[in-house]
Amino acid sequence: AIQKQNTAPHVLSRRGYDRTTNSDEHLDAFLTQTILYTNNDVILCHVFPTSLKGATLTWYGILPPRSIDSFDTLVKHQCAVHN
């Protein structure tokens, strides 16, 4: 029998998004990779910042506490600021 390995999504090792590339493409790549492991909204919100760097990671870090209630809200905020 084949055993399922419990591994983190490969997105964690990717070069982070820093506004020098297309944010829609980054989001598509992030979701394509993470959905292989989970579609849990809370987990997506917690894993998403691991795909950011530079100014976008700083932006994420200064979001007010409890301002994100879903991954959809996080994406809307991110797109509004970085597109």
Side-chain angles (χ1 to χ4, degrees), residues 25-82:
E25 289 177 8
H26 169 76
L27 180 60
D28 288 344
F30 172 79
L31 287 174
T32 298
Q33 293 175 6
T34 54
I35 294 299
L36 293 171
Y37 300 91
T38 185
N39 65 352
N40 181 290
D41 208 55
V42 173
I43 294 173
L44 291 175
C45 287
H46 284 283
V47 172
F48 186 68
T50 67
S51 72
L52 306 175
K53 73 176 188 177
T56 54
L57 183 57
T58 300
W59 162 82
Y60 181 85
I62 61 173
L63 286 171
R66 304 191 195 298
S67 63
I68 304 299
D69 61 357
S70 68
F71 187 71
D72 188 49
T73 300
L74 178 58
V75 169
K76 286 178 185 175
H77 279 290
Q78 196 263 343
C79 288
V81 172
H82 296 105

